[in-house]
Amino acid sequence: MCICLMKPGLPGMPHKGAAMTTTLSALPAAARASSQPKVKGVQHWSNALFVLPFVLVYIALLVVPVVTGLWLSLNDVDVLSGDRAFIGLANFARLWHDDIFRGAIRNTFLFVLMTTPAFVALGLALALALNRQDRVGTALRTIFFGSSVLSVTIVTLVWRLVFMTDKGLLANVMHSLGLASINPLTSSALALPAIALVTVWWIIGLPMMLFLAALQQIPEEIYEAAAMDNAGRWRTFWSITLPQLRKTVALVAIIEVILQFQLFGQAQLMTNGGPNNSSRPLVQFIYEAGFQQWALGYSAAAAQVLFGLMLIGVALQMWISKRGQTQSGEST
Amino acid sequence: MQAGMTTRSLLALCLGAALGTGHAATEITLARFFGACEADYGKVTDVSKATGECGTITSLVNQYNATNKEGVVVKAEVAEWGPYYDQLTSRIVAHNVPTIAVMHQSVLGDFVSRKLVEPLDDGFKSVGINTADFTPHAKRGVVIGGKTYALPFDTWSWLWHINVNYFKKAGLTTPDGQPILPKSPDELLAQAKKIKDATGKPYFSWTTANETAAPTRTFLTLMYQQNAQVFGADGRKISVHTPAATNALTLMNKLWTEGYIKKGLDYGATQQAFTSGDVAVDVVGNWTINDFLVAAAKADSPLHDGYDVVPFANLYGKKAIFADGHSWVLIKGGTHNDAEKKAALSFLKFLWDHDYDWSRTGHLPANNKVVQSAQYQGLPYRKNILEITQIGVTTPSNVPRQRAIEAIIGEEISSMMLSGKAIPAVEDAIESRVNTLLASVH
């Protein structure tokens, strides 16, 4: 009975829809009449009670803050005194002319572009290398995932020591190679890439695990068939593994785009947004406007911009992956 | 009958307990920075055995808890100093207000203007704190509109901590071994060259990585020494398109580009560079004096028999130096009843009575009587820095958002040093960003 709930013409399901229409028309009219109310469940409004707790929590913790944030962005609000005045879109106009804000947008996009491909490529590479059922594989999986459980404070402290001028690990390595040492955190060109490197090192474990889980879902028979056809390792990878992982690649990319748009702790603790605003992300801008300058409305306006950018980024990502799927479906 | 007896017994037990202890404990909270050192000082109840800011304040709280007769328990809530005000702001907004909070005098005006801080004149009278004993600098910091809003705890400033051994090597000491200080920017650059030639070390270490306070304080000191007006009379406009600002920035930039400031140091690395003998002068506040004295006492230290500390050298005409101070405030909503308020005032009185102990850390006392005491003046190097109570300059309290402004100034100067931002562009950016911020304050 449950197929009656599916709508004919659902994207990607034209054949099933047609079959369903045929099935329904074949049913006796009386049977259809008697089954419809039960199927639609119109009278069973009390079923909504099952989802009510979720809906209430969702409204309280998501919808209300989003709407409040939107309203705040249209006001001039002092965070400490609570004084506010409606100023329309003035906060957004001020953002438009704010060089620091524009820099923060640039930095955030650059950071997402640096880290997301790295998470996908490196996560997949590690998963392929460690997709083995022996002790070495288990130990290495634990080690690579281990850094993900550390707090941002610990991770940034460790890496600040690595990058420390003259006495850090990097400086020692460069000295041993006869090169002058450099602290990337004090260089406008290197600060953001250094934060990206730290971030990838820190949380590469999650993409690796997602890829590992996906790899283990691929039926062994396909590989056996490929082996019987004398397919080489690269051919097997390109024609079997990668197509089977398409959805996981999209998942990892979407998760990482959402996460990396929210960069904050690493940048604040390692560079404080400097030098010359070269590593200040949007969330740090929002934090500083709200908690250092006490301009809550201005901070909320910047948060709305971030929300919009994330929405666009994720929508784009989903559209690309869906388009890829459709094309691949058409070609097969 | 049984139930009645039980109730009576419980009441009697409670009454007995109350009578036995004299008072029920009143717990108050103390929000502060200065670091956490429970492992070393968690059980120390004699402040004379403590050194450093963290050890001293932790021991002071322990000593008060162990000795006060009112049954007051002070519970310290420690935050890192960087995000301290962000956390305090969040707590006030969330109505989770500490009973007492430490506050820089430069920040106090923002809280007073929002009526968030209790005036304390009557409270001070009730516990015997005489505001006439406040030093002039402390008084300027905590008295706003004729009312006293905080208990001043110290005055701190921007000092040169000197490795005299390096000055000696470069021939920059007097016959009696005192370091010769430069009296102009040119003299400073010449000294820096001499130090580099003689020791191979940069002249200065000051924090340039991941912090904006050091460049701001140096810049403001150089401005005040030129008798420059940084802010307008109403505190709502900054002007740095001035010859004085250009002079200050040019000097800082020259020191940086010519390699006279050690590069890439965050706060911890800056202090380490000085104690490990990597630089001749560390530019930092009073609070490190005690720690450097301890380091200099070690025979294998590069500072051994060669540590000195003086106010930031006077490079222009006027004797002046950036100064600020720590104070203690009662934020509105932090005390819930008279007992808590009384307890808070009792603890403030204890802190005031132990201003000398706090001044051992290197901070200048806020209590005139301590400043003039032989005990204080007998502490090492204190005579060198005592004039700060006279020449210290604080940003006027009518300038709002001083913390955010200091961050902007420091960030732009760091951009000049780290990224080669041109001086006119730095001046443009400081004026534009600070004035936009000030214009947004109502």
Side-chain angles (χ1 to χ4, degrees), chain A residues 76 78-81 94 100 160 164-167 183 186 188 268-272 275-276 280 287 291-294, chain B residues 86 89-90 92-93 110-111 114 116 209-210 262-264 266 276 278 401 404 411 415 418-419 421 433 436-437 440 442:
Chain A
D76 181 10
D78 182 300
V79 75
L80 263 185
S81 64
R94 190 177 148 197
I100 302 297
R160 275 169 67 179
M164 189 189 264
T165 308
D166 288 347
K167 291 174 182 165
N183 181 345
T186 58
S188 301
Q268 201 209 17
L269 292 168
M270 294 180 79
T271 62
N272 202 20
N276 202 14
R280 176 178 279 103
Y287 169 79
F291 288 95
Q292 286 182 3
Q293 301 179 7
W294 298 350
Chain B
D86 306 342
T89 305
S90 314
I92 292 170
V93 172
D110 271 331
F111 286 81
R114 286 167 181 74
L116 291 167
N210 202 20
K262 191 165 172 63
K263 296 182 177 171
D266 61 14
S276 342
D278 291 340
R401 307 283 203 282
E411 204 178 297
S415 296
L418 297 172
S419 309
K421 196 168 184 176
R433 290 178 67 189
T436 304
L437 172 65
S440 72
H442 304 295

Short mmCIF file of all heavy atoms in Angstrom, two decimals, chain A residues 76 78-81 94 100 160 164-167 183 186 188 268-272 275-276 280 287 291-294, chain B residues 86 89-90 92-93 110-111 114 116 209-210 262-264 266 276 278 401 404 411 415 418-419 421 433 436-437 440 442:
data_model
loop_
_atom_site.label_atom_id
_atom_site.label_comp_id
_atom_site.label_asym_id
_atom_site.label_seq_id
_atom_site.Cartn_x
_atom_site.Cartn_y
_atom_site.Cartn_z
N ASP A 76 20.02 48.67 15.31
CA ASP A 76 21.30 49.07 15.92
C ASP A 76 21.15 48.65 17.39
O ASP A 76 20.36 49.24 18.13
CB ASP A 76 21.47 50.58 15.78
CG ASP A 76 22.79 51.05 16.38
OD1 ASP A 76 23.62 50.18 16.71
OD2 ASP A 76 22.98 52.27 16.51
N ASP A 78 22.96 47.63 21.14
CA ASP A 78 24.12 47.60 22.03
C ASP A 78 24.01 46.34 22.87
O ASP A 78 23.03 46.15 23.59
CB ASP A 78 24.10 48.84 22.92
CG ASP A 78 25.31 48.91 23.83
OD1 ASP A 78 25.51 47.99 24.65
OD2 ASP A 78 26.06 49.87 23.73
N VAL A 79 25.01 45.48 22.77
CA VAL A 79 24.89 44.17 23.41
C VAL A 79 24.79 44.26 24.93
O VAL A 79 24.09 43.46 25.56
CB VAL A 79 26.07 43.25 22.98
CG1 VAL A 79 27.35 43.61 23.67
CG2 VAL A 79 25.76 41.78 23.23
N LEU A 80 25.43 45.26 25.53
CA LEU A 80 25.43 45.32 26.99
C LEU A 80 24.20 46.03 27.56
O LEU A 80 23.57 45.53 28.48
CB LEU A 80 26.69 46.04 27.48
CG LEU A 80 27.83 45.13 27.89
CD1 LEU A 80 28.96 45.94 28.45
CD2 LEU A 80 27.41 44.07 28.90
N SER A 81 23.89 47.19 27.00
CA SER A 81 22.75 47.92 27.56
C SER A 81 21.43 47.40 26.99
O SER A 81 20.38 47.59 27.59
CB SER A 81 22.88 49.41 27.24
OG SER A 81 22.81 49.61 25.85
N ARG A 94 26.65 49.32 5.65
CA ARG A 94 27.96 49.55 6.30
C ARG A 94 28.90 48.37 6.01
O ARG A 94 30.08 48.56 5.78
CB ARG A 94 27.72 49.70 7.81
CG ARG A 94 28.93 50.17 8.57
CD ARG A 94 28.61 50.36 10.04
NE ARG A 94 29.78 50.06 10.86
CZ ARG A 94 29.74 49.83 12.16
NH1 ARG A 94 28.58 49.85 12.80
NH2 ARG A 94 30.84 49.57 12.83
N ILE A 100 37.42 45.42 6.09
CA ILE A 100 37.76 44.26 6.92
C ILE A 100 36.75 43.13 6.65
O ILE A 100 37.11 41.96 6.54
CB ILE A 100 37.74 44.64 8.42
CG1 ILE A 100 38.73 45.78 8.69
CG2 ILE A 100 38.06 43.44 9.30
CD1 ILE A 100 40.17 45.46 8.43
N ARG A 160 51.41 25.99 16.99
CA ARG A 160 52.14 27.25 17.22
C ARG A 160 53.57 26.93 17.64
O ARG A 160 54.50 27.65 17.29
CB ARG A 160 51.43 28.09 18.28
CG ARG A 160 50.32 28.94 17.67
CD ARG A 160 49.45 29.56 18.70
NE ARG A 160 50.15 30.56 19.50
CZ ARG A 160 49.56 31.26 20.46
NH1 ARG A 160 48.28 31.07 20.73
NH2 ARG A 160 50.23 32.15 21.15
N MET A 164 56.93 28.00 15.63
CA MET A 164 57.61 29.04 16.43
C MET A 164 58.89 29.54 15.74
O MET A 164 59.69 28.75 15.25
CB MET A 164 57.95 28.48 17.81
CG MET A 164 58.46 29.51 18.78
SD MET A 164 59.07 28.71 20.27
CE MET A 164 57.67 28.83 21.31
N THR A 165 59.05 30.85 15.76
CA THR A 165 60.23 31.45 15.12
C THR A 165 61.51 30.92 15.75
O THR A 165 61.62 30.86 16.97
CB THR A 165 60.17 32.98 15.31
OG1 THR A 165 58.91 33.43 14.88
CG2 THR A 165 61.26 33.67 14.52
N ASP A 166 62.44 30.55 14.96
CA ASP A 166 63.80 30.11 15.36
C ASP A 166 63.85 28.77 16.09
O ASP A 166 64.76 27.98 15.89
CB ASP A 166 64.50 31.16 16.26
CG ASP A 166 64.91 32.37 15.46
OD1 ASP A 166 64.87 32.28 14.22
OD2 ASP A 166 65.24 33.39 16.07
N LYS A 167 62.87 28.51 16.99
CA LYS A 167 63.00 27.32 17.84
C LYS A 167 61.96 26.24 17.56
O LYS A 167 61.98 25.19 18.19
CB LYS A 167 62.93 27.73 19.31
CG LYS A 167 64.18 28.51 19.70
CD LYS A 167 64.11 29.06 21.09
CE LYS A 167 65.39 29.85 21.37
NZ LYS A 167 65.34 30.71 22.49
N ASN A 183 58.29 31.99 10.08
CA ASN A 183 57.08 31.66 10.84
C ASN A 183 55.89 31.98 9.93
O ASN A 183 55.57 33.15 9.72
CB ASN A 183 57.03 32.49 12.13
CG ASN A 183 55.81 32.15 12.96
OD1 ASN A 183 54.87 31.53 12.48
ND2 ASN A 183 55.83 32.56 14.21
N THR A 186 53.17 34.64 10.69
CA THR A 186 53.38 36.09 10.65
C THR A 186 53.57 36.57 9.21
O THR A 186 54.03 37.68 8.98
CB THR A 186 54.62 36.49 11.48
OG1 THR A 186 55.75 35.78 10.96
CG2 THR A 186 54.45 36.15 12.94
N SER A 188 51.67 37.38 5.57
CA SER A 188 50.34 37.57 4.96
C SER A 188 50.03 36.49 3.94
O SER A 188 48.88 36.07 3.80
CB SER A 188 50.28 38.92 4.24
OG SER A 188 50.52 39.95 5.13
N GLN A 268 41.51 32.41 15.24
CA GLN A 268 41.61 33.34 16.37
C GLN A 268 42.81 33.01 17.25
O GLN A 268 43.53 33.90 17.71
CB GLN A 268 40.32 33.29 17.21
CG GLN A 268 40.18 34.54 18.05
CD GLN A 268 39.43 34.33 19.32
OE1 GLN A 268 39.25 33.20 19.79
NE2 GLN A 268 38.96 35.40 19.92
N LEU A 269 43.05 31.73 17.47
CA LEU A 269 44.12 31.35 18.38
C LEU A 269 45.50 31.38 17.74
O LEU A 269 46.50 31.57 18.43
CB LEU A 269 43.85 29.94 18.94
CG LEU A 269 42.64 29.84 19.87
CD1 LEU A 269 42.27 28.40 20.13
CD2 LEU A 269 42.91 30.56 21.18
N MET A 270 45.57 31.21 16.43
CA MET A 270 46.89 31.14 15.80
C MET A 270 47.35 32.49 15.23
O MET A 270 48.54 32.80 15.28
CB MET A 270 46.90 30.09 14.69
CG MET A 270 46.71 28.68 15.25
SD MET A 270 46.71 27.43 13.98
CE MET A 270 48.44 27.27 13.66
N THR A 271 46.45 33.26 14.68
CA THR A 271 46.87 34.52 14.03
C THR A 271 46.04 35.72 14.47
O THR A 271 46.40 36.84 14.15
CB THR A 271 46.74 34.41 12.50
OG1 THR A 271 45.35 34.20 12.20
CG2 THR A 271 47.57 33.29 11.93
N ASN A 272 44.95 35.47 15.15
CA ASN A 272 44.03 36.55 15.53
C ASN A 272 43.55 37.33 14.30
O ASN A 272 43.28 38.52 14.38
CB ASN A 272 44.71 37.47 16.55
CG ASN A 272 43.71 38.24 17.37
OD1 ASN A 272 42.55 37.85 17.47
ND2 ASN A 272 44.13 39.34 17.96
N PRO A 275 48.35 38.37 9.70
CA PRO A 275 48.68 39.80 9.61
C PRO A 275 47.94 40.49 8.46
O PRO A 275 47.66 39.85 7.46
CB PRO A 275 50.19 39.78 9.33
CG PRO A 275 50.54 38.40 8.96
CD PRO A 275 49.43 37.49 9.29
N ASN A 276 47.66 41.75 8.69
CA ASN A 276 46.99 42.58 7.69
C ASN A 276 45.67 41.98 7.23
O ASN A 276 45.36 41.97 6.05
CB ASN A 276 47.93 42.81 6.49
CG ASN A 276 47.53 44.04 5.71
OD1 ASN A 276 46.75 44.86 6.19
ND2 ASN A 276 48.07 44.19 4.51
N ARG A 280 41.59 36.56 8.69
CA ARG A 280 40.37 36.72 9.51
C ARG A 280 39.18 36.11 8.78
O ARG A 280 38.82 36.56 7.69
CB ARG A 280 40.10 38.20 9.79
CG ARG A 280 38.79 38.42 10.55
CD ARG A 280 38.53 39.88 10.88
NE ARG A 280 39.27 40.30 12.06
CZ ARG A 280 40.37 41.03 12.07
NH1 ARG A 280 40.86 41.44 10.93
NH2 ARG A 280 40.98 41.36 13.18
N TYR A 287 32.14 37.62 15.58
CA TYR A 287 32.44 37.58 17.02
C TYR A 287 32.99 38.92 17.50
O TYR A 287 32.56 39.46 18.53
CB TYR A 287 33.46 36.46 17.25
CG TYR A 287 34.09 36.43 18.62
CD1 TYR A 287 33.40 35.91 19.71
CD2 TYR A 287 35.37 36.93 18.82
CE1 TYR A 287 33.98 35.87 20.97
CE2 TYR A 287 35.96 36.90 20.07
CZ TYR A 287 35.27 36.38 21.14
OH TYR A 287 35.85 36.36 22.37
N PHE A 291 31.11 40.99 20.27
CA PHE A 291 31.60 40.92 21.65
C PHE A 291 32.72 41.90 21.97
O PHE A 291 32.98 42.15 23.14
CB PHE A 291 32.04 39.49 21.97
CG PHE A 291 30.88 38.56 22.11
CD1 PHE A 291 30.46 37.79 21.06
CD2 PHE A 291 30.18 38.48 23.31
CE1 PHE A 291 29.36 36.95 21.17
CE2 PHE A 291 29.08 37.66 23.43
CZ PHE A 291 28.67 36.89 22.36
N GLN A 292 33.42 42.42 20.96
CA GLN A 292 34.46 43.41 21.26
C GLN A 292 33.95 44.83 21.01
O GLN A 292 34.24 45.73 21.76
CB GLN A 292 35.71 43.15 20.43
CG GLN A 292 36.48 41.95 20.93
CD GLN A 292 37.76 41.69 20.15
OE1 GLN A 292 38.12 42.43 19.24
NE2 GLN A 292 38.44 40.62 20.50
N GLN A 293 33.18 44.96 19.93
CA GLN A 293 32.67 46.30 19.62
C GLN A 293 31.24 46.48 20.14
O GLN A 293 30.69 47.56 20.05
CB GLN A 293 32.74 46.55 18.11
CG GLN A 293 34.17 46.41 17.60
CD GLN A 293 34.30 46.62 16.10
OE1 GLN A 293 33.35 47.00 15.43
NE2 GLN A 293 35.47 46.37 15.57
N TRP A 294 30.66 45.41 20.62
CA TRP A 294 29.33 45.41 21.23
C TRP A 294 28.24 45.86 20.25
O TRP A 294 27.19 46.36 20.67
CB TRP A 294 29.30 46.29 22.49
CG TRP A 294 30.22 45.79 23.56
CD1 TRP A 294 30.87 44.61 23.60
CD2 TRP A 294 30.60 46.47 24.76
NE1 TRP A 294 31.63 44.50 24.74
CE2 TRP A 294 31.48 45.63 25.46
CE3 TRP A 294 30.28 47.72 25.30
CZ2 TRP A 294 32.05 46.00 26.69
CZ3 TRP A 294 30.84 48.07 26.51
CH2 TRP A 294 31.71 47.22 27.20
N ASP B 86 35.11 39.47 26.77
CA ASP B 86 34.05 38.85 25.95
C ASP B 86 33.21 37.94 26.84
O ASP B 86 31.98 37.91 26.75
CB ASP B 86 34.66 38.03 24.81
CG ASP B 86 35.63 38.85 23.98
OD1 ASP B 86 35.58 40.09 24.07
OD2 ASP B 86 36.45 38.26 23.27
N THR B 89 31.14 40.07 29.28
CA THR B 89 29.99 40.63 28.56
C THR B 89 28.89 39.59 28.41
O THR B 89 27.72 39.86 28.68
CB THR B 89 30.44 41.11 27.16
OG1 THR B 89 31.52 42.02 27.32
CG2 THR B 89 29.32 41.80 26.42
N SER B 90 29.29 38.38 27.99
CA SER B 90 28.30 37.31 27.79
C SER B 90 27.60 37.00 29.12
O SER B 90 26.40 36.76 29.15
CB SER B 90 28.96 36.03 27.30
OG SER B 90 29.84 36.32 26.29
N ILE B 92 27.10 38.98 31.64
CA ILE B 92 26.16 40.05 32.02
C ILE B 92 24.88 39.93 31.21
O ILE B 92 23.77 40.03 31.73
CB ILE B 92 26.82 41.44 31.82
CG1 ILE B 92 27.96 41.61 32.84
CG2 ILE B 92 25.81 42.56 31.98
CD1 ILE B 92 28.84 42.83 32.59
N VAL B 93 25.04 39.68 29.90
CA VAL B 93 23.87 39.54 29.03
C VAL B 93 23.01 38.35 29.47
O VAL B 93 21.79 38.39 29.45
CB VAL B 93 24.32 39.38 27.56
CG1 VAL B 93 23.14 39.04 26.66
CG2 VAL B 93 24.99 40.65 27.07
N ASP B 110 33.09 52.34 29.88
CA ASP B 110 32.05 51.71 29.05
C ASP B 110 30.98 51.06 29.92
O ASP B 110 29.80 51.07 29.58
CB ASP B 110 32.68 50.64 28.15
CG ASP B 110 33.15 51.22 26.83
OD1 ASP B 110 32.55 52.21 26.38
OD2 ASP B 110 34.12 50.70 26.27
N PHE B 111 31.40 50.47 31.02
CA PHE B 111 30.44 49.79 31.90
C PHE B 111 29.67 50.81 32.75
O PHE B 111 28.48 50.64 32.99
CB PHE B 111 31.17 48.78 32.80
CG PHE B 111 31.62 47.55 32.06
CD1 PHE B 111 32.77 47.53 31.30
CD2 PHE B 111 30.84 46.38 32.10
CE1 PHE B 111 33.17 46.41 30.60
CE2 PHE B 111 31.24 45.26 31.40
CZ PHE B 111 32.40 45.27 30.66
N ARG B 114 26.82 52.58 30.97
CA ARG B 114 25.62 51.74 30.82
C ARG B 114 24.97 51.41 32.15
O ARG B 114 24.10 50.55 32.23
CB ARG B 114 25.98 50.44 30.09
CG ARG B 114 26.21 50.66 28.64
CD ARG B 114 26.88 49.48 27.96
NE ARG B 114 27.09 49.78 26.57
CZ ARG B 114 28.03 50.61 26.11
NH1 ARG B 114 28.84 51.22 26.96
NH2 ARG B 114 28.15 50.86 24.83
N LEU B 116 26.10 49.77 34.62
CA LEU B 116 26.23 48.33 34.96
C LEU B 116 27.08 48.11 36.21
O LEU B 116 27.18 47.00 36.70
CB LEU B 116 26.88 47.59 33.78
CG LEU B 116 26.02 47.48 32.53
CD1 LEU B 116 26.85 47.03 31.34
CD2 LEU B 116 24.88 46.50 32.76
N ALA B 209 53.30 38.86 17.18
CA ALA B 209 52.48 37.80 16.59
C ALA B 209 51.27 37.52 17.47
O ALA B 209 51.40 37.35 18.69
CB ALA B 209 53.31 36.52 16.45
N ASN B 210 50.11 37.50 16.82
CA ASN B 210 48.89 37.06 17.50
C ASN B 210 48.49 37.93 18.68
O ASN B 210 47.81 37.47 19.58
CB ASN B 210 49.07 35.60 17.96
CG ASN B 210 47.76 34.92 18.16
OD1 ASN B 210 46.74 35.35 17.62
ND2 ASN B 210 47.75 33.86 18.94
N LYS B 262 63.15 41.66 17.38
CA LYS B 262 63.14 40.23 17.04
C LYS B 262 61.77 39.86 16.48
O LYS B 262 60.74 40.19 17.07
CB LYS B 262 63.46 39.38 18.28
CG LYS B 262 63.74 37.93 17.92
CD LYS B 262 64.40 37.19 19.06
CE LYS B 262 64.48 35.71 18.76
NZ LYS B 262 65.31 35.38 17.59
N LYS B 263 61.79 39.15 15.35
CA LYS B 263 60.53 38.94 14.62
C LYS B 263 59.80 37.66 15.02
O LYS B 263 60.42 36.70 15.49
CB LYS B 263 60.80 38.95 13.12
CG LYS B 263 61.31 40.31 12.68
CD LYS B 263 61.55 40.42 11.21
CE LYS B 263 61.98 41.86 10.91
NZ LYS B 263 62.44 42.08 9.58
N GLY B 264 58.50 37.69 14.78
CA GLY B 264 57.69 36.47 14.89
C GLY B 264 57.41 35.99 16.31
O GLY B 264 57.10 34.82 16.51
N ASP B 266 55.26 35.62 19.72
CA ASP B 266 54.01 35.84 20.44
C ASP B 266 54.37 36.18 21.88
O ASP B 266 55.55 36.30 22.23
CB ASP B 266 53.06 34.63 20.32
CG ASP B 266 53.65 33.37 20.92
OD1 ASP B 266 54.65 33.46 21.65
OD2 ASP B 266 53.11 32.28 20.66
N SER B 276 66.21 34.07 27.74
CA SER B 276 67.25 33.22 27.14
C SER B 276 68.39 34.03 26.55
O SER B 276 69.27 33.47 25.90
CB SER B 276 66.70 32.32 26.04
OG SER B 276 65.37 32.18 26.05
N ASP B 278 68.27 36.33 24.08
CA ASP B 278 68.20 36.54 22.63
C ASP B 278 68.05 38.01 22.25
O ASP B 278 68.12 38.35 21.06
CB ASP B 278 67.02 35.76 22.04
CG ASP B 278 67.27 34.26 22.11
OD1 ASP B 278 68.43 33.86 22.25
OD2 ASP B 278 66.28 33.50 22.04
N ARG B 401 34.71 52.31 24.15
CA ARG B 401 35.22 51.13 23.43
C ARG B 401 36.76 51.13 23.31
O ARG B 401 37.31 50.81 22.25
CB ARG B 401 34.65 51.06 22.01
CG ARG B 401 33.17 51.13 21.91
CD ARG B 401 32.53 49.80 22.30
NE ARG B 401 31.22 49.69 21.71
CZ ARG B 401 30.13 50.30 22.17
NH1 ARG B 401 30.21 51.06 23.26
NH2 ARG B 401 28.98 50.16 21.57
N ALA B 404 38.44 47.88 22.04
CA ALA B 404 38.31 47.63 20.60
C ALA B 404 39.19 48.60 19.82
O ALA B 404 39.80 48.22 18.80
CB ALA B 404 36.85 47.78 20.18
N GLU B 411 46.44 46.34 15.40
CA GLU B 411 46.35 45.51 14.19
C GLU B 411 46.93 46.24 12.99
O GLU B 411 47.66 45.65 12.18
CB GLU B 411 44.87 45.21 13.96
CG GLU B 411 44.63 43.97 13.16
CD GLU B 411 43.14 43.74 13.02
OE1 GLU B 411 42.49 43.53 14.06
OE2 GLU B 411 42.65 43.78 11.89
N SER B 415 50.23 45.35 10.79
CA SER B 415 50.20 45.22 9.33
C SER B 415 51.37 45.97 8.70
O SER B 415 51.95 45.52 7.71
CB SER B 415 48.89 45.78 8.76
OG SER B 415 47.82 45.03 9.23
N LEU B 418 54.51 43.68 9.71
CA LEU B 418 54.55 42.32 9.18
C LEU B 418 54.31 42.27 7.67
O LEU B 418 54.83 41.39 6.99
CB LEU B 418 53.51 41.44 9.89
CG LEU B 418 53.72 41.23 11.39
CD1 LEU B 418 52.52 40.51 11.98
CD2 LEU B 418 54.98 40.45 11.66
N SER B 419 53.48 43.19 7.17
CA SER B 419 53.12 43.10 5.75
C SER B 419 53.58 44.28 4.93
O SER B 419 53.21 44.39 3.76
CB SER B 419 51.60 42.97 5.61
OG SER B 419 51.12 41.95 6.42
N LYS B 421 52.69 47.41 5.11
CA LYS B 421 51.66 48.41 4.78
C LYS B 421 52.27 49.81 4.95
O LYS B 421 52.93 50.08 5.95
CB LYS B 421 50.46 48.23 5.72
CG LYS B 421 49.20 48.93 5.29
CD LYS B 421 48.01 48.45 6.12
CE LYS B 421 46.72 49.05 5.64
NZ LYS B 421 45.56 48.51 6.38
N ARG B 433 38.75 53.25 10.57
CA ARG B 433 38.12 52.18 11.36
C ARG B 433 37.69 52.67 12.75
O ARG B 433 36.59 52.36 13.21
CB ARG B 433 39.07 50.98 11.49
CG ARG B 433 39.28 50.24 10.19
CD ARG B 433 40.27 49.10 10.35
NE ARG B 433 39.76 48.04 11.20
CZ ARG B 433 40.49 47.01 11.63
NH1 ARG B 433 41.76 46.92 11.29
NH2 ARG B 433 39.95 46.09 12.39
N THR B 436 34.77 55.19 12.52
CA THR B 436 33.50 54.51 12.21
C THR B 436 32.95 53.85 13.48
O THR B 436 31.75 53.92 13.76
CB THR B 436 33.73 53.43 11.12
OG1 THR B 436 34.32 54.05 10.00
CG2 THR B 436 32.43 52.76 10.72
N LEU B 437 33.86 53.24 14.22
CA LEU B 437 33.43 52.60 15.47
C LEU B 437 32.88 53.63 16.45
O LEU B 437 31.80 53.46 17.03
CB LEU B 437 34.62 51.85 16.10
CG LEU B 437 34.43 51.27 17.49
CD1 LEU B 437 33.37 50.18 17.48
CD2 LEU B 437 35.74 50.70 18.03
N SER B 440 29.50 54.92 15.70
CA SER B 440 28.39 53.99 15.92
C SER B 440 27.99 53.92 17.39
O SER B 440 26.99 53.29 17.74
CB SER B 440 28.78 52.60 15.43
OG SER B 440 29.73 52.03 16.31
N HIS B 442 26.42 55.33 20.70
CA HIS B 442 25.44 56.40 21.01
C HIS B 442 25.56 56.83 22.46
O HIS B 442 25.97 56.08 23.30
CB HIS B 442 24.03 55.92 20.73
CG HIS B 442 23.88 55.45 19.31
ND1 HIS B 442 24.00 56.31 18.25
CD2 HIS B 442 23.69 54.22 18.78
CE1 HIS B 442 23.86 55.62 17.12
NE2 HIS B 442 23.68 54.34 17.41
#
